[in-house]
């Protein structure tokens, strides 16, 4: 029988991930961490709070949308996730916290990772004396060809 790519919650793995990030390991945090990071067949993911909430409910996890929002922001502050804002829509949370850029499909809203080494950035403007570059985010926006 073919195994579906359903989440395989591993409370021990999720708990140790939370501890390593300095977060207290609550039941809901462990369940959401398992969904985000430990699903079979998942590499890096870009999820909105709404999508993760839907996924959690389907997996039988009792959690409110507000708790999902709060947890995603706590995970981001702890360095487990990176928040990605493309347009005025809902934030996306990225499980890939390494240096990278994104391909953004304007037709579907899909985000795909682009390795940082695939894009060369030159000519950054002079920065204010007290400032340093923390990160440069590049979004390559694509859409279906019209011709
Ligand atoms: Zn990404």
């Amino acid at each position: 029988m073919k195994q579906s790519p359903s989440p395989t919650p591993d409370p021990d793995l999720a708990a140790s991930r939370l501890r390593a990030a300095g977060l207290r390991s609550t039941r809901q945090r462990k369940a959401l961490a398992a969904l985000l990071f430990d699903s079979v067949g998942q590499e890096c993911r870009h999820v909105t709070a709404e999508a993760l909430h839907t996924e959690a409910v389907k997996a039988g996890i009792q959690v409110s949308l507000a708790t999902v929002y709060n947890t995603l922001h706590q995970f981001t502050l702890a360095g487990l996730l990176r928040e990605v804002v493309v347009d005025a829509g809902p934030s996306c949370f990225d499980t890939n916290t390494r240096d990278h850029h994104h391909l953004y499909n304007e037709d579907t809203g899909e985000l795909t990772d682009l390795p940082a080494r695939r894009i060369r950035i030159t000519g950054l403007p002079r920065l204010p004396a007290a400032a340093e570059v923390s990160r440069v985010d590049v979004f390559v926006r694509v859409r279906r060809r019209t011709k």
Side-chain angles (χ1 to χ4, degrees):
M1 197 164 87
K2 194 174 172 192
Q3 183 106 20
S4 69
S6 60
T8 53
D10 182 342
D12 294 335
L13 183 60
S16 61
R17 190 185 297 275
L18 293 171
R19 262 196 312 277
L23 290 170
R24 202 163 50 84
S25 169
T26 66
R27 185 176 50 80
Q28 289 176 327
R29 279 181 182 166
K30 279 192 287 191
L32 293 174
L35 276 183
L36 280 167
F37 304 111
D38 306 326
S39 300
V40 171
Q42 297 283 354
E43 283 222 355
C44 294
R45 304 187 59 194
H46 306 98
V47 293
T48 62
E50 290 79 5
L52 185 63
H53 180 249
T54 301
E55 203 178 313
V57 169
K58 277 186 190 162
I61 300 163
Q62 298 211 335
V63 64
S64 69
L65 181 57
T67 299
V68 172
Y69 268 111
N70 291 338
T71 304
L72 286 170
H73 284 288
Q74 290 158 356
F75 285 5
T76 301
L77 286 174
L80 293 173
L81 294 172
R82 180 171 138 181
E83 189 171 5
V84 180
V85 181
V86 186
D87 282 327
S91 287
C92 231
F93 294 86
D94 194 342
T95 60
N96 180 358
T97 56
R98 295 184 304 270
D99 197 18
H100 70 286
H101 305 292
H102 291 99
L103 189 71
Y104 175 66
N105 186 320
E106 293 179 342
D107 297 322
T108 64
E110 185 186 8
L111 275 176
T112 308
D113 284 350
L114 293 173
R117 68 179 185 287
R118 296 282 304 278
I119 293 177
R120 186 177 319 156
I121 296 166
T122 61
L124 286 175
R126 180 184 291 267
L127 302 172
E132 65 180 0
V133 174
S134 72
R135 193 172 85 200
V136 176
D137 292 326
V138 174
F139 291 94
V140 178
R141 302 173 73 105
V142 296
R143 63 181 175 216
R144 182 194 291 231
R145 284 176 195 250
T146 53
K147 296 182 214 174

